[in-house]
Amino acid sequence: MKQSENNPPRVVLGFFRWYCNPALLEEIEGDLTERFHYYSERYRQNKAKWLFTKEVLLLFRPTIIGNIYHLTNNSSIMTVQNKRLMLILAAVPTILLIPLIAMQFSNGVDWKILDFVIMGILLLGTGLLCELVLRKVKSTKGRIILCGAVLFSFLLIWAELAVGIFGTPFAGH
Amino acid sequence: MSQYHLGEFEEIVLLTVAILNGEAYGVSIISEIEDRLQRKVSLGAMQTVLKRLEEKDLVKSEFGEATNVRGGKRKRLYEITASGRQILSRTKAQRNSLWDAIPKVVFKFSEK
């Protein structure tokens, strides 16, 4: 087996290293790596990688992240804009965790993989559009109007996909 | 000392830390729980509870050795404290008193 095949997915591990409280990083990364090797021995590589990814997503919680200051203080030259962008990127998986966790406790929430993908794209798109507005528009009034329009559009698209208020081909039921 | 009440999962983790007697760390606790209780546990849930128990001074921890299978990262070994032992004993006594208070007839009927 090639060495690279027997290692945890680098992107996922990088995401974990980014959000994890530095004080907890060594012990939890060690635990994650050990769990990955355990999964690799029991399952096929793809399943082991998926289980590793699931563990990393389930670790994304306040106790493990700690003070969010470390998320945005990786570089002394990081601007306010970049800090805000990092927070937007961190907020998307955090929000997606809500239905993921709710599904474990209730049958009322039943999201498929596609639902998570679509909601992720919607949230990321909304966040990035708001960030674009905040970077390009300087007046407070303009910012409020444009960001409000972006958020309103997000809510309309979400409502259409969820319950179908306009009856488009993408309408949900 | 304030009166702590253990949640169900906190109690299981604390008991497992006691069972492992100095060899308890994230992965070994999960394996022990999965083996003994046939219950799936995520690393996230485990770490959250361990940190909470440590904040309550029910367990203490220190770094152990690093191994290749852990990518050279050290383990954090947990050990139960005197307060932890005390609260486990109290919880056990409370459970026992509840069990003892159940009229015998309740289980006689439920077996039929």
Side-chain angles (χ1 to χ4, degrees):
Chain A
M1 188 179 288
K2 278 189 279 182
Q3 187 63 32
S4 61
E5 281 179 4
N6 205 20
N7 288 330
R10 276 197 314 174
V11 175
V12 181
L13 189 58
F15 174 59
F16 168 74
R17 284 175 178 161
W18 171 68
Y19 76 68
C20 183
N21 183 344
L24 306 177
L25 186 60
E26 180 172 2
E27 57 186 285
I28 302 181
E29 187 178 328
D31 284 353
L32 275 171
T33 310
E34 191 174 336
R35 289 284 277 179
F36 175 75
H37 287 298
Y38 168 76
Y39 292 140
S40 299
E41 284 168 10
R42 290 190 63 163
Y43 308 111
R44 298 170 72 164
Q45 274 299 299
N46 282 346
K47 183 163 183 186
K49 286 181 178 177
W50 158 241
L51 289 170
F52 178 86
T53 305
K54 194 173 147 192
E55 293 272 30
V56 167
L57 289 175
L58 290 174
L59 275 163
F60 193 82
R61 51 179 79 197
T63 321
I64 308 301
I65 297 167
N67 190 332
I68 61 166
Y69 183 69
H70 76 87
L71 295 180
T72 54
N73 197 38
N74 293 331
S75 159
S76 58
I77 56 166
M78 186 175 268
T79 63
V80 172
Q81 292 177 335
N82 286 340
K83 285 182 182 178
R84 200 171 52 214
L85 184 60
M86 297 295 263
L87 283 176
I88 290 170
L89 293 177
V92 173
T94 309
I95 294 170
L96 288 177
L97 272 180
I98 296 170
L100 186 67
I101 292 168
M103 281 169 64
Q104 314 303 315
F105 301 103
S106 163
N107 293 330
V109 184
D110 182 23
W111 283 34
K112 305 283 183 289
I113 292 286
L114 189 63
D115 297 325
F116 282 98
V117 172
I118 290 171
M119 184 48 95
I121 292 169
L122 265 180
L123 286 170
L124 192 64
T126 306
L128 292 180
L129 274 175
C130 285
E131 177 62 28
L132 186 69
V133 169
L134 293 173
R135 287 192 185 201
K136 297 292 175 192
V137 180
K138 298 299 168 200
S139 79
T140 309
K141 194 177 169 186
R143 285 176 161 193
I144 292 172
I145 292 171
L146 287 171
C147 283
V150 171
L151 292 173
F152 186 65
S153 307
F154 163 74
L155 290 174
L156 278 183
I157 295 169
W158 183 15
E160 175 66 7
L161 291 173
V163 292
I165 51 176
F166 300 117
T168 64
F170 309 106
H173 300 289
Chain B
M1 181 184 141
S2 65
Q3 182 84 8
Y4 286 130
H5 292 282
L6 287 177
E8 188 251 0
F9 190 52
E10 285 179 331
E11 187 184 344
I12 288 173
V13 172
L14 196 54
L15 283 166
T16 312
V17 169
I19 290 168
L20 289 167
N21 190 25
E23 292 298 317
Y25 66 100
V27 174
S28 71
I29 300 171
I30 291 175
S31 302
E32 195 73 15
I33 292 175
E34 287 181 347
D35 287 348
R36 287 181 183 272
L37 305 180
Q38 283 78 51
R39 173 174 173 166
K40 288 276 174 205
V41 180
S42 76
L43 203 50
M46 175 59 56
Q47 288 293 344
T48 304
V49 168
L50 283 172
K51 299 302 166 213
R52 200 184 306 146
L53 291 175
E54 198 165 16
E55 274 172 23
K56 291 179 179 178
D57 195 31
L58 302 178
V59 295
K60 60 184 179 183
S61 70
E62 59 181 23
F63 273 117
E65 84 275 23
T67 56
N68 281 343
V69 78
R70 295 175 60 81
K73 309 289 180 195
R74 289 176 295 170
K75 298 170 180 173
R76 182 171 282 281
L77 295 167
Y78 291 87
E79 199 178 335
I80 192 164
T81 62
S83 308
R85 283 191 289 273
Q86 201 178 1
I87 200 168
L88 276 182
S89 301
R90 197 166 57 225
T91 308
K92 187 182 175 191
Q94 284 172 346
R95 295 270 170 95
N96 285 343
S97 79
L98 288 172
W99 274 100
D100 293 344
I102 300 174
K104 291 204 169 32
V105 71
V106 171
F107 282 100
K108 267 190 182 169
F109 278 115
S110 64
E111 283 167 8
K112 286 183 183 174

